Amino acid sequence: MQICKVIGNVWATKKDDSLNGFKLLVVEPVDYSSHGLKSPAYVAVDVVGAGAGELVLVVQGSSARKVGGRMNKIP
Amino acid sequence: MQICKVIGNVWATKKDDSLNGFKLLVVEPVDYSSHGLKSPAYVAVDVVGAGAGELVLVVQGSSARKVGGRMNKIP
Amino acid sequence: MQICKVIGNVWATKKDDSLNGFKLLVVEPVDYSSHGLKSPAYVAVDVVGAGAGELVLVVQGSSARKVGGRMNKIP
Amino acid sequence: MQICKVIGNVWATKKDDSLNGFKLLVVEPVDYSSHGLKSPAYVAVDVVGAGAGELVLVVQGSSARKVGGRMNKIP
Amino acid sequence: MQICKVIGNVWATKKDDSLNGFKLLVVEPVDYSSHGLKSPAYVAVDVVGAGAGELVLVVQGSSARKVGGRMNKIP
């Protein structure tokens, strides 16, 4: 899991049906180590109702599909 | 998921049967954070009919096999 | 698996039910090679009762869900 | 999937039974973006009969086990 | 798969039951490309009886659980 800061939203003009009804956030990883390394922003599905500027915990890969019962069809 | 820009197509002279009938795109990740970090381009299967220069949302790993019912045999 | 140093804890104001009852640690990878490369810190679920400053072995991805019988619902 | 260039072969003096009968290639990712970033070489199982210097499409993770019917036991 | 050099062992004072009976190695990826890029060392389970200084092929993620019949409980 990564601690990320929400920096925006994504709207898609065309998308796979499995993503319908989900809000997509652009998130930027925050490095809490003493090195403060930078990582590229990516897109995450919002399951807690987060807004821009808030800190969120983001899971990736197959783990992401296990968060929230209704998400089993999310890529 | 990553926001990527389509920068080209891939044609293979020989390929695994599971990839037959799919269009392959060369995509380059776009970093929307304030750091604008660069990441190497990679190859993604096209399921929305994207063309060069367009921005697309790309999923990876086991998640990619869950996008679109017909894709369950895609690596 | 990575060797990491625990550098802190995480408290979430709102979280997915599957994470209830688990302690979350902020961990920083430690590189034991001669290069001493730095990697960004991330968040791991604590299953051994580690504290700040301790070295821990951290597994990621689908493997993390297999550690400890009670963890099969963890993302 | 990544576009890689085959740069060599691997011979193992001792190996897991699941790898018997497979040719292992050392491949180096090629970045077709305008940045031309370098990534470390790694080892891939050859399913198309590629030789040194050729460009190949490489899949990783659980996806790699789905390429070719006979590969279901490959790590 | 990555080609790595064994640079040491790991002893844990407390560990998950699923790791009992396995020897853990600290391995450092070796880049055979012309760029010779450095990657951080990590920890791998030893299934072939490797010693310090030896070169080994390391698999990661869900693939690692498929190497060797007795390893199906390894994270």
Side-chain angles (χ1 to χ4, degrees):
Chain A
M1 283 172 285
Q2 284 181 303
I3 302 180
C4 294
K5 191 177 181 181
V6 180
I7 60 173
N9 288 78
V10 178
W11 284 270
T13 52
K14 188 174 178 182
K15 62 182 169 178
D16 191 87
D17 290 344
S18 62
L19 284 172
N20 282 338
F22 291 102
K23 187 176 149 202
L24 300 178
L25 304 174
V26 183
V27 297
E28 177 184 328
V30 179
D31 180 15
Y32 278 95
S33 77
S34 54
H35 317 304
L37 302 173
K38 307 300 183 193
S39 304
Y42 56 91
V43 176
V45 172
D46 182 18
V47 291
V48 293
E54 287 188 308
L55 288 176
V56 291
L57 265 179
V58 183
V59 293
Q60 293 180 293
S62 60
S63 302
R65 288 196 300 272
K66 310 233 169 218
V67 180
R70 64 185 183 132
M71 292 188 63
N72 56 349
K73 287 188 298 182
I74 288 214
Chain B
M1 284 172 283
Q2 284 181 302
I3 302 179
C4 294
K5 191 178 180 180
V6 180
I7 61 173
N9 288 78
V10 178
W11 285 270
T13 52
K14 189 174 178 182
K15 61 182 169 178
D16 191 85
D17 290 343
S18 61
L19 284 172
N20 282 337
F22 292 102
K23 188 176 148 201
L24 301 177
L25 303 174
V26 184
V27 298
E28 177 184 329
V30 179
D31 180 16
Y32 278 96
S33 78
S34 54
H35 317 304
L37 302 173
K38 307 300 183 193
S39 304
Y42 56 91
V43 176
V45 172
D46 182 19
V47 292
V48 293
E54 288 188 307
L55 288 177
V56 291
L57 265 179
V58 183
V59 293
Q60 292 181 294
S62 60
S63 302
R65 289 196 299 273
K66 310 232 170 219
V67 180
R70 64 187 182 128
M71 293 189 61
N72 56 348
K73 287 189 298 183
I74 289 213
Chain C
M1 283 172 285
Q2 284 182 303
I3 302 180
C4 294
K5 192 178 181 180
V6 179
I7 59 173
N9 288 77
V10 178
W11 285 270
T13 52
K14 188 174 180 182
K15 61 181 168 178
D16 190 87
D17 290 343
S18 62
L19 283 172
N20 282 338
F22 291 101
K23 188 176 149 202
L24 300 178
L25 304 174
V26 183
V27 298
E28 176 184 329
V30 179
D31 180 15
Y32 279 94
S33 77
S34 54
H35 318 303
L37 302 172
K38 308 299 183 193
S39 304
Y42 56 91
V43 176
V45 172
D46 182 18
V47 291
V48 292
E54 286 189 308
L55 288 176
V56 290
L57 266 179
V58 183
V59 292
Q60 293 181 293
S62 60
S63 302
R65 289 195 300 273
K66 311 233 170 217
V67 180
R70 64 188 181 129
M71 292 187 63
N72 55 348
K73 287 188 298 183
I74 289 212
Chain D
M1 283 172 283
Q2 284 182 301
I3 302 180
C4 293
K5 191 177 180 180
V6 179
I7 60 173
N9 288 78
V10 178
W11 285 270
T13 52
K14 188 175 179 182
K15 61 182 169 178
D16 191 86
D17 290 343
S18 62
L19 284 171
N20 283 337
F22 292 102
K23 190 176 147 202
L24 300 177
L25 303 175
V26 184
V27 297
E28 176 185 331
V30 179
D31 180 16
Y32 278 95
S33 78
S34 54
H35 318 304
L37 302 173
K38 307 300 183 193
S39 303
Y42 56 90
V43 176
V45 172
D46 182 18
V47 291
V48 293
E54 287 189 307
L55 289 175
V56 290
L57 265 179
V58 183
V59 293
Q60 292 181 294
S62 60
S63 302
R65 289 196 298 274
K66 310 231 170 221
V67 180
R70 64 186 182 131
M71 293 188 62
N72 56 348
K73 288 189 297 183
I74 289 213
Chain E
M1 285 173 283
Q2 284 182 303
I3 302 179
C4 294
K5 192 177 179 179
V6 180
I7 60 173
N9 288 78
V10 178
W11 285 270
T13 52
K14 187 174 179 182
K15 61 181 168 178
D16 190 86
D17 290 343
S18 62
L19 283 173
N20 282 337
F22 291 101
K23 188 176 148 203
L24 300 177
L25 303 174
V26 184
V27 298
E28 176 185 330
V30 179
D31 180 15
Y32 278 94
S33 77
S34 54
H35 318 304
L37 302 172
K38 307 301 182 192
S39 304
Y42 56 90
V43 176
V45 172
D46 182 18
V47 291
V48 292
E54 286 188 307
L55 288 176
V56 290
L57 264 179
V58 183
V59 292
Q60 293 181 293
S62 60
S63 302
R65 289 196 300 272
K66 311 234 169 216
V67 180
R70 64 186 183 131
M71 292 189 63
N72 56 348
K73 287 189 298 184
I74 289 212

